[in-house]
Amino acid sequence: MPAHDVLIIGAGLAGQRAALAAADAGASVAILSKVHPVRSHSVAAAGGINAALNPEDSWESHAFDTVKGSDYLGDQDAIEIMCREAPDEILWLEHAGVTFHRSDSGHLGTRAFGGASQARTYYVADITGQAILHVLYERLMKHHETVDRFEEWFTTTLLQDEDGACVGCVARDIRSGRLETFNAKSVILASGGAGQVFKPTTNALICTGDGIAQAYRIGAPLMDMEMIQYHPTTLAENGFLITEGARGEGAHLYNALGERFMERYAPNKLELASRDVVSRAEQTEINEGRGFPDGTIALDITKVPRKRTLEALREIVNIGKDFAGVDITREPIHIKPGMHYIMGGVKTDFDGQTPIPGLYAAGEVACVSVHGGNRLGANSLLDTLIFGRRSGEHAAHRARGVAMPKAPASVLRDAQGEIDAILGRDTGSRPPRRISEIKEELGETMNRYVAVFRDAEGLAQAHEIVARLKQEAPQAAIDDKGTIFNQDVLAAIELGYMLDVAEAIVLAAQERKESRGAQFRTDFPERNDADWLHHITVSLNGDGPELATAPVTMTRWEPQERTY
Amino acid sequence: MPEYTLKLRRYDPHAGEAPYYEEFQVELEPHRSVLEAILKVKAEQDGSVGIRCSCRAAICGSCGVRINGRPGLACHTHLEHAANRGVNADGTTILVEPMGNMPVIKDLIVDMDAVHWKKIERVTPWLINKQPIPEREYVVPHENMVDVTQTMACIQCGACVSDCLSMEVDPLFVGPAALAKAYRFVGDPRDAEHEERLRDLAEDPHGIYDCTHCFNCIEACPKGVAPMSQIMRLRRVSSADFGIEDRNNGYRHEHAFVKNIRKNGLLHEADLVPDSYGGKLHPRAVPELIGSLPTVVRGLQRGKMTPAKALLHPHKAPKEVKRIFDVVEGREQRVELNLYISGYEDDESEAQA
């Protein structure tokens, strides 16, 4: 049975960075992921990564932009750390081999991004996430002697000792169906977000909120769950992402009347205002009848010189061609706001520690909170790397003072019992619903009622539907009874994770009776600092969720009115 | 909405039986992807169909398969194109099979670790930093970084490995994906061991000279990485910049080829073999010539060649061919085609207009 100082669950940017940092700090490391590491959703991050690395720029400016972008819900101590450490992280990546594009002088080049007062986004064409992810995987292959990789292993349960500390997990080898206990002194969750709770979403099919739900189920509080980012430019038909880099390179947004409507909503920053602001503006245009008949807005990239588009935005040239039949270098492409990112997650401090001893979280699964009510573009890659590294270092350090735990054999029997129960589902006399049907209803419900604009009535509706789906899910049909690559069983477990996450999102959105960042309540349209300048947490208490609050840490920036 | 027949190659490892084909009817718009059709089957008809997939947008590289006989990503292939390609295309039937050159685990899922990733690990797939490592970034030309972005764009889907003919014949061939990965370091000015990497891959009998220019990998790649072009660039850097003469005679063969075409315009095969081994009288050429005799005899028997044609090549290169050689060789810098900098000419012509 594998035993390591540090066990990392999830192998996107946060997980791989944590693994490398923990190994550097002398720990024995296992990294486990339900997909091969380079399939992780970090691969889809397009536009770039922020850092105040130019001499004319300052980390304070980056931090202020982030605080303002968060609508003052971000914790300023954590934001300061992230922005201060960003330049060194970029240089670490550069030395590790990331092929950042250069300026004419051969130094690292930048592009403009939303909500930022300087061009401080470093990039590799529009495949920045892919380039960084693949380079980190190169490093993992290099360090194969110190980092054990468990690729295509699905975590079913986090393990706790009698004092409540997290001491490992049980996981299923997807290729053989065999369950295994992983003992570890520290566990880092780096399993990403939960975009599949919504439909459509820019997120990959694997983004099912596994880590968020696993931590929640063993008592870790979730925070800022109401803060769901709708990206301003997703492809109308299928929700695919069109990078903010397009607007960073100079693309404009137009409504059906041909108006560059952002002039009315953000006269200074225009298309490069914060994402929540731009998405709200677009949705307002669409709702008030100024969108195109298919409920969309036009993104005009022809403003960008063609040569530059082909070199720096090649991926969206392909997406336009392959998935929308549009040559974006010649004509506008139709987009609308679409679910993209969850600012909330498992509550952690700035070393990635959750309130459960031995359990860490980093990346989209976590809520430090550096994004607060709204994440700035190109801050998520930074978040994964900075807090991935810090978690890895801290977990390695912590492991030195802890004895290697050994989980009892019963945990494996229990986990196997749960799998067997799924395989042997008694669906009764009625034909059961299919997993896909339940998932579809969940996604459409969330996208209807928990989207850019929300109100009490819609949220109550969402709450009721999610509760019903939670009843239906345990009876959903299972076609595959095998052990090798049984994707049906995994989908059944994932569906349970998604429903837990959805419930937390809806509850937090119902609770926050104001409008801040990504949460816009049409029944409470103003920001209300007097009553709501705090985080909302959701924890599992007994069988049900319990809401509480947590203070926002302020260091130097007092809340101001937010205009762009 | 049109109805497609999805014919999936199924393999159930539990059953202990041979793979079989199963047909599913799917109604979807023609511009939807093959992956969407498979997911619809999974969702509505049979959840046990096995396929790796995640992003749906040709970024994660999970869903490499063969569609009507051709390798590619299921998410990146429109139903209408799929149904109309291949020898048995009838506009409605879409045959989906697992990728080739790799063992099948279940249905459309292949063992990439056993083949693809093993080969990637073969090429020392990490940057070996040029020393000293600068305090800030390495200062390197923008063009170099844009250049290696073409190989960084590889998503490790395995489509090129699936249909690599050289690998089919020689399973030890390092292969298109791994060699493209190698170029990512050889083309990176921050790497300290360009020559060592090239020497390693040139001396390996399954290395850069094992590719036979069949273009399958270029056709297969959904991301425009053009692995074969990267292999050719490795060869050019290896021979022209480092003068690496490998023991497999890859270097000599390539130079003999160029010389042969420059002189004859059309390939004169009788000269090619001896020239590849240093000339007719070279001691290395003698055993090679003797070794190729059975081939020669077969060729004569089947009338593919006559003694006169073999020995007295009738063709001499016209002036135009010589001019091409002179122009290309007269250039100060080699011209390399690169996906990320295509479009330059386009732009200039637009600017002039």
Side-chain angles (χ1 to χ4, degrees), chain B residues 8-296:
Chain B
L8 304 182
R9 186 177 190 266
R10 306 287 313 260
Y11 169 63
D12 176 3
H14 305 100
E17 281 164 27
Y20 59 99
Y21 290 88
E22 187 171 5
E23 292 188 2
F24 298 92
Q25 304 302 318
V26 185
E27 265 188 33
L28 264 181
E29 294 146 282
H31 67 284
R32 296 286 183 173
S33 71
V34 172
L35 178 65
E36 284 175 280
I38 296 173
L39 289 177
K40 203 167 151 69
V41 167
K42 264 172 93 76
E44 295 167 8
Q45 302 181 46
D46 184 352
S48 75
V49 172
I51 182 169
R52 287 194 187 97
C53 57
S54 181
C55 75
R56 303 160 292 147
I59 314 169
C60 78
S62 301
C63 64
V65 287
R66 267 186 181 153
I67 299 165
N68 278 4
R70 289 194 6 211
L73 295 174
C75 72
H76 191 249
T77 309
H78 292 189
L79 289 166
E80 58 183 331
H81 295 152
N84 287 303
R85 82 182 191 192
V87 279
N88 298 318
D90 62 5
T92 57
T93 308
I94 298 165
L95 173 67
V96 189
E97 299 166 293
M99 289 191 290
N101 280 332
M102 289 178 271
V104 178
I105 295 175
K106 174 187 175 179
D107 294 343
L108 304 171
I109 299 166
V110 298
D111 188 348
M112 294 205 49
D113 293 346
V115 180
H116 176 82
W117 288 106
K118 202 168 264 174
K119 292 177 186 299
I120 295 285
E121 283 173 5
R122 161 70 187 81
V123 302
T124 320
W126 50 81
L127 189 74
I128 299 168
N129 291 74
K130 202 172 255 179
Q131 301 293 334
I133 296 177
E135 201 163 298
R136 281 179 64 100
E137 71 268 38
Y138 288 91
V139 178
V140 295
H142 177 62
E143 290 70 29
N144 284 123
M145 288 292 123
V146 173
D147 174 33
V148 292
T149 301
Q150 181 170 10
T151 53
M152 279 308 305
C154 170
I155 54 175
Q156 313 292 345
C157 68
C160 59
V161 171
S162 165
D163 280 41
C164 174
L165 291 179
S166 291
M167 204 183 285
E168 211 174 300
V169 176
D170 172 17
L172 294 176
F173 177 39
V174 176
L179 290 174
K181 186 81 170 171
Y183 183 77
R184 171 249 179 286
F185 301 105
V186 169
D188 191 328
R190 301 168 300 173
D191 191 89
E193 300 201 350
H194 293 167
E195 187 174 355
E196 291 81 351
R197 288 176 187 277
L198 289 164
R199 199 169 284 285
D200 173 34
L201 292 170
E203 295 289 2
D204 187 334
H206 317 287
I208 48 177
Y209 290 109
D210 206 10
C211 164
T212 58
H213 300 93
C214 76
F215 283 81
N216 266 5
C217 59
I218 294 184
E219 290 234 333
C221 179
K223 305 302 286 189
V225 173
M228 192 193 92
S229 300
Q230 310 306 332
I231 298 173
M232 295 310 123
R233 301 174 77 184
L234 288 171
R235 289 188 187 177
R236 283 196 287 275
V237 181
S238 174
S239 66
D241 297 354
F242 291 104
I244 296 171
E245 294 191 28
D246 59 295
R247 62 174 173 223
N248 311 308
N249 276 304
Y251 171 90
R252 281 184 210 91
H253 179 63
E254 197 162 85
H255 282 254
F257 217 103
V258 174
K259 189 179 123 194
N260 195 306
I261 298 292
R262 183 191 246 278
K263 187 174 149 209
N264 303 314
L266 286 174
L267 191 64
H268 183 17
E269 280 163 337
D271 274 354
L272 186 64
V273 176
D275 282 354
S276 297
Y277 293 91
K280 285 191 184 75
L281 300 174
H282 197 280
R284 243 193 324 244
V286 177
E288 287 297 331
L289 284 172
I290 293 169
S292 64
L293 277 177
T295 316
V296 173

Side-chain angles (χ1 to χ4, degrees), chain A residues 152 237 306 322 434 479-480, chain B residues 31 43 47 52 78 106 346:
Chain A
E152 298 188 323
E237 179 157 348
R306 187 152 188 270
D322 297 335
R434 296 188 66 82
D479 298 335
D480 195 340
Chain B
H31 67 284
R52 287 194 187 97
H78 292 189
K106 174 187 175 179
D346 251 25

Side-chain angles (χ1 to χ4, degrees), chain A residues 75-88:
Chain A
D75 286 316
Q76 297 179 7
D77 52 348
I79 291 171
E80 287 190 17
I81 285 173
M82 180 174 82
C83 298
R84 247 193 193 130
E85 295 182 358
D88 280 348

